[in-house]
Amino acid sequence: MSSERQRLVMRSGPTPGKVYELTKDSITIGREASADIVIPDPEISRSHSRLTSKQGTYMLEDLGSTNGTFVNKQRITGQRMLSPGDEVTLGENVVFSFEGEGVGATVAASVAKMPVQAVPPPPPPTPAAGIAPEKKSHTTRNLLIGCGCLVIVIVVVLVAVLYYIDTNNLYCAWFGMGCPTP
């Protein structure tokens, strides 16, 4: 067991704010009275998960619970090492934060408090002198517009030809039908 004091603090669930000091090498969590940490919530399985002390921290594993065990909103299937600040969720409603004191927690807390500098996005590339910027291709749209214009031109030409044929009685001359009688 490590010299660091580690604990789970319930953030939401049946007893928000309750602190569970982790003092044993193996700790079971569940709804059943025989569990080391008993959580009276219907979404918690009788034997839901287990914490095991390994190399100064705890490993968390799901014990085949119905509603799952999550670390930082990701469901775990095997063992998962906990770090100070991790969020442990059992089912949908019971949420703990894993906290620790000592060297590991101090390092994690100092990293968490480090200022984060925003990195500005790179400026857009500027075209070289005398070179026009590349234009996006709108091939499909241009093709459809061209086809539409072609159809309109064909219809206009067809109407003009039919009008010319009708006004000059060419239909009569060519086919001998619809001619005026003298």
Side-chain angles (χ1 to χ4, degrees):
M1 181 74 197
S2 101
S3 62
E4 295 183 20
R5 290 182 40 188
Q6 295 167 330
R7 66 187 80 64
L8 287 176
V9 179
M10 187 176 287
R11 298 296 176 204
S12 68
T15 54
K18 184 165 183 176
V19 177
Y20 298 91
E21 295 292 338
L22 306 179
T23 57
K24 295 169 60 177
D25 287 336
S26 180
I27 299 167
T28 57
I29 303 172
R31 194 178 67 234
E32 197 169 74
S34 63
D36 297 305
I37 298 176
V38 178
I39 303 171
D41 186 285
E43 286 194 2
I44 303 301
S45 296
R46 286 177 282 192
S47 184
H48 197 98
S49 56
R50 176 180 23 241
L51 290 161
T52 308
S53 177
K54 298 254 177 147
Q55 300 174 353
T57 190
Y58 277 91
M59 303 292 285
L60 177 66
E61 67 180 308
D62 186 81
L63 298 176
S65 67
T66 303
N67 295 312
T69 301
F70 304 81
V71 175
N72 299 327
K73 299 187 181 357
Q74 292 183 341
R75 189 172 192 149
I76 62 171
T77 54
Q79 284 193 336
R80 168 78 183 265
M81 184 175 73
L82 295 178
S83 299
D86 279 348
E87 179 182 272
V88 176
T89 307
L90 307 178
E92 290 184 21
N93 300 321
V94 179
V95 180
F96 295 96
S97 62
F98 178 73
E99 298 177 359
E101 293 176 357
V103 177
T106 305
V107 170
S110 65
V111 168
K113 291 179 183 175
M114 289 177 70
V116 177
Q117 295 180 346
V119 178
T126 56
I131 300 175
E134 186 177 326
K135 293 184 179 180
K136 291 184 179 179
S137 173
H138 299 289
T139 307
T140 305
R141 190 178 107 211
N142 291 343
L143 184 63
L144 289 174
I145 291 172
C147 288
C149 290
L150 182 62
V151 167
I152 291 171
V153 168
I154 291 172
V155 168
V156 168
V157 169
L158 186 61
V159 167
V161 168
L162 290 176
Y163 179 75
Y164 179 77
I165 290 172
D166 187 51
T167 56
N168 292 315
N169 290 324
L170 294 178
Y171 187 76
C172 173
W174 291 342
F175 302 107
M177 298 171 56
C179 297
T181 55

